[in-house]
Amino acid sequence: MAPLFTAILALSATALAQRTQQVVWSAVTYTYHGEKTPSLFPGPYDLTPVGAQQLYEAGQIVRARYITGSGNSSLTNSSPINGININPIDNSQLNILATDDPWVSASAMAFMQALYPPRDTVVLDLESMLGNSSLEQYPLNGYQYPNIETLSMLDFHHLWIAGADNCNNYDIENVVSLSSPAYVQEIQSTNAYYQSLGNSVFWAFTPDELNYGNAWTLWEYAAFEYQHNQTLYQSGNFTADDLATLYNLASQQQRLFNTPDSTGTVKAMAGRTFASKVLQSFQHQMASNGSAEKLTLLFGSFEPMLAFFALSNLATGPSASRFNSLPLHGSTMTFELYSYTPMPMSQSATIPFPSTEELWVRFLFRNGTGASDPFVEYPLFGRGNSQDDMTWSDFVFGMGAFSLGDLVDWCLECASGSLFCEAILLNYYSEIGSGTDTPKKAKTLSAPIAGVIGATVTIGLMLIVGAILALVGFRLDYHPREKRAVSDLGVLKRSGSGGGFKGAEKLASDTDLTMKGGAGASVVRHERVGSWELNDSPDKRSALDKDIESGRGLSKTTYGRPSEDGHGIGGVDPYGEPVKALDQV
């Protein structure tokens, strides 16, 4: 009976497909930035020409799939979004977010140049026609100007595309990982291999710096050199096999730093907040009956990808081997919201927006931007290969199991010191104290007291970690920054987003900590002045940070405005009047 029942279902599905056509209502894409200047270079850190081409090619494929509907069958099928503009850009249909890292924002611009290329024909409209009967054209042969929102860490929207930034508990969890027996063992077992490359690609670095603790930054540096250094490429001393080995080691390290473990999902925070953004975008599309946020384009580093792969069971599902490695530059993952409508439909017919029960979602991933790298559909949440399409309700249930969209929850789970968290938590505790809100967790402390306790706990954790490191043979040495041909290595550098825990480039105000490992390894971490790791600055610029932490530097502005983001922001306005410097004689 079972085979017969399965056959009947298959025939029914085939008949349905023959009588209907798919209508894509909205898509949310996340694209990893293009190749950038390596973090181990002295800077500046920018998108390279290779990186710009990578993102331009990524934009071409997305345009072919969602805009023009002229998909190349070898790379993508055609799935045009219903009602989206084909030639002139309409920014009201798009939602484009990027972190404010120069290489990420530049990646978004290169992508958009392909998504909506210049219009090389003069358009006869009111804006182009002049009173003297002449026509005016946009510069650069009709260049089109997208509205790209570049988000700094002071903007709470930043966490949707980089949820691990400013997440102190994420940083603490990864510092603890450095002292684990497995991590120390990996440093020891790979030490000989890293040292063997000291006379070729890593000739500029000391032996102490060549170790697994710097796996990602070393791979990024080697990949750039192999791509751009003709002498190295042709020497034979460093081969594509060596580069592949470094890539695998870097992938292993970053999976450890950005996927859930036995203690929880804090390490996968970037994937949790990203999942919430996908749900938000689709919900806005549904609330507008198909008119808003037709295409959401997100740009950032690889952390949200690795975290989401793990959380959604892609890294353990039928295609696990494709999701257990670092994505390549320009990689894109996309979610599509679609429905079925009866056939045939005339081109002029208006398709009504379907009910929630009629909506479906699918996930696709394209790893890299090569000519042999197509968009491929994959099943989420441990479903079988034949279940890659899922109903909207199943999608919401799967994403809701790990997504984090409440800003209060993010601030609390991360123990973040972000300025917007100060305002949000102040409002949150005020609501609890006045009895106007029900706390999600039993918390009766005031915001200032909670802040003091949080700082004390952080210091205590650092002391515990230091004791653990000492037991396994690590030693912390402080030394002033030295001038070198290339900048010092940094542990826990998180791709384009990152140097150390806080940013990619090493600033003039940054100081260094060197960890001497029991395995004979040296791991140099860049510490951003004013961060939780160092809390003290060699100059006077940290005074403002201390004033903010103590409450003396907080603006007295009333942060009150309604928010479309729900309870997550409460009555707080993160865009209120900023902190003002104190001027006096």
Side-chain angles (χ1 to χ4, degrees):
M1 272 309 279
L4 177 60
F5 181 69
T6 302
I8 292 174
L9 286 179
L11 289 173
S12 299
T14 302
L16 178 64
Q18 291 174 348
R19 298 194 307 268
T20 61
Q21 65 181 10
Q22 286 188 9
V23 178
V24 177
W25 296 98
S26 179
V28 180
T29 74
Y30 184 96
T31 303
Y32 177 29
H33 65 74
E35 180 196 70
K36 59 177 272 290
T37 312
S39 302
L40 299 184
F41 276 40
Y45 303 96
D46 298 311
L47 185 70
T48 68
V50 171
Q53 284 293 335
Q54 289 167 339
L55 267 291
Y56 186 85
E57 292 167 4
Q60 285 181 317
I61 299 303
V62 172
R63 176 174 173 81
R65 183 174 183 87
Y66 295 132
I67 308 296
T68 64
S70 57
N72 181 340
S73 59
S74 66
L75 295 178
T76 182
N77 295 325
S78 173
S79 298
I81 296 175
N82 183 62
I84 198 166
N85 276 18
I86 295 177
N87 292 316
I89 189 171
D90 182 353
N91 281 300
S92 68
Q93 298 179 335
L94 309 176
N95 183 24
I96 313 170
L97 304 180
T99 63
D100 63 349
D101 303 296
W103 53 92
V104 177
S105 56
S107 293
M109 288 189 285
F111 183 99
M112 293 305 300
Q113 287 173 344
L115 190 71
Y116 279 100
R119 303 183 67 189
D120 54 4
T121 58
V122 178
V123 180
L124 299 178
D125 58 18
L126 182 62
E127 295 176 346
S128 301
M129 297 176 62
L130 303 181
N132 60 5
S133 299
S134 63
L135 297 173
E136 191 61 84
Q137 169 75 302
Y138 281 108
L140 303 176
N141 297 319
Y143 185 85
Q144 303 201 67
Y145 297 89
N147 180 20
I148 301 174
E149 297 181 57
T150 54
L151 308 172
S152 76
M153 287 190 288
L154 297 177
D155 188 330
F156 73 89
H157 289 294
H158 180 94
L159 66 89
W160 307 131
I161 52 178
D165 288 354
N166 266 347
C167 183
N168 287 342
N169 283 339
Y170 168 90
D171 295 340
I172 292 172
E173 287 288 332
N174 281 317
V175 169
V176 172
S177 298
L178 299 180
S179 61
S180 67
Y183 195 87
V184 173
Q185 174 60 33
E186 194 64 30
I187 289 179
Q188 294 172 335
S189 64
T190 58
N191 184 65
Y193 177 73
Y194 278 104
Q195 297 302 316
S196 71
L197 301 178
N199 293 325
S200 57
V201 65
F202 298 137
W203 64 269
F205 306 111
T206 65
D208 283 348
E209 295 169 327
L210 303 181
N211 61 79
Y212 179 75
N214 299 306
W216 188 87
T217 47
L218 289 173
W219 173 76
E220 181 195 41
Y221 177 88
F224 183 89
E225 286 290 302
Y226 192 72
Q227 175 88 295
H228 297 274
N229 189 324
Q230 186 176 5
T231 301
L232 178 69
Y233 184 83
Q234 297 177 351
S235 68
N237 294 327
F238 181 78
T239 66
D241 289 341
D242 290 321
L243 188 62
T245 300
L246 291 175
Y247 170 76
N248 291 333
L249 290 170
S251 296
Q252 176 181 306
Q253 182 200 53
Q254 292 305 313
R255 282 201 311 273
L256 172 67
F257 293 155
N258 293 286
T259 57
D261 58 17
S262 59
T263 65
T265 58
V266 171
K267 288 184 178 181
M269 185 59 72
R272 296 175 64 192
T273 56
F274 164 74
S276 177
K277 177 60 180 177
V278 175
L279 290 174
Q280 291 173 37
S281 296
F282 283 155
Q283 288 165 346
H284 291 167
Q285 161 77 186
M286 295 162 63
S288 67
N289 286 325
S291 62
E293 297 192 25
K294 290 181 177 294
L295 183 56
T296 297
L297 304 166
L298 310 175
F299 300 89
S301 184
F302 62 72
E303 291 85 3
M305 287 183 157
L306 285 181
F308 181 79
F309 295 162
L311 292 166
S312 63
N313 293 329
L314 283 166
T316 55
S319 303
S321 60
R322 302 178 185 179
F323 296 98
N324 280 312
S325 299
L326 285 165
L328 303 177
H329 289 296
S331 295
T332 299
M333 57 180 177
T334 183
F335 302 80
E336 297 175 3
L337 182 70
Y338 67 96
S339 67
Y340 292 93
T341 189
M343 291 180 64
M345 291 284 293
S346 65
Q347 294 183 350
S348 60
T350 300
I351 305 174
F353 193 80
S355 64
T356 301
E357 292 74 19
E358 298 174 298
L359 288 171
W360 295 73
V361 179
R362 58 174 162 247
F363 169 84
L364 301 97
F365 178 61
R366 184 182 185 223
N367 191 19
T369 59
S372 60
D373 300 323
F375 264 124
V376 179
E377 188 173 349
Y378 297 97
L380 298 175
F381 316 129
R383 300 158 68 95
N385 281 331
S386 62
Q387 298 177 297
D388 41 12
D389 295 342
M390 69 195 82
T391 64
W392 167 251
S393 59
D394 286 345
F395 178 71
V396 171
F397 180 81
M399 296 285 269
F402 55 82
S403 65
L404 190 153
D406 191 309
L407 298 184
V408 170
D409 286 343
W410 184 85
C411 292
L412 292 173
E413 288 196 37
C414 285
S416 176
S418 299
L419 284 178
F420 61 78
C421 281
E422 294 276 354
I424 290 169
L425 293 180
L426 181 63
N427 179 73
Y428 174 68
Y429 288 118
S430 297
E431 288 180 350
I432 293 175
S434 63
T436 60
D437 193 18
T438 302
K440 301 176 184 178
K441 307 174 183 67
K443 293 180 174 63
T444 58
L445 299 177
S446 67
I449 294 175
V452 172
I453 293 177
T456 304
V457 170
T458 300
I459 293 172
L461 282 173
M462 292 178 65
L463 291 174
I464 293 172
V465 171
I468 295 174
L469 293 176
L471 289 175
V472 298
F474 280 78
R475 187 178 79 246
L476 295 179
D477 293 331
Y478 171 79
H479 60 85
R481 181 185 178 189
E482 301 179 51
K483 294 184 178 179
R484 346 170 2 115
V486 294
S487 62
D488 288 333
L489 294 177
V491 72
L492 294 186
K493 296 218 172 174
R494 297 174 291 129
S495 126
S497 72
F501 296 123
K502 301 300 180 186
E505 65 271 27
K506 182 177 179 185
L507 303 182
S509 60
D510 293 349
T511 51
D512 295 332
L513 283 177
T514 300
M515 291 183 178
K516 298 293 185 181
S522 174
V523 178
V524 183
R525 289 181 46 219
H526 295 173
E527 305 296 349
R528 183 59 46 84
V529 171
S531 68
W532 67 270
E533 299 100 326
L534 276 188
N535 211 24
D536 289 321
S537 171
D539 54 36
K540 300 297 183 181
R541 282 176 288 182
S542 63
L544 178 58
D545 293 333
K546 295 179 179 178
D547 285 347
I548 291 173
E549 292 174 1
S550 66
R552 295 194 302 271
L554 291 177
S555 169
K556 302 303 181 182
T557 302
T558 299
Y559 291 92
R561 72 168 176 87
S563 171
E564 63 181 10
D565 289 272
H567 180 73
I569 191 64
V572 175
D573 180 9
Y575 299 103
E577 185 178 358
V579 176
K580 293 184 178 179
L582 178 62
D583 294 328
Q584 65 183 38
V585 178

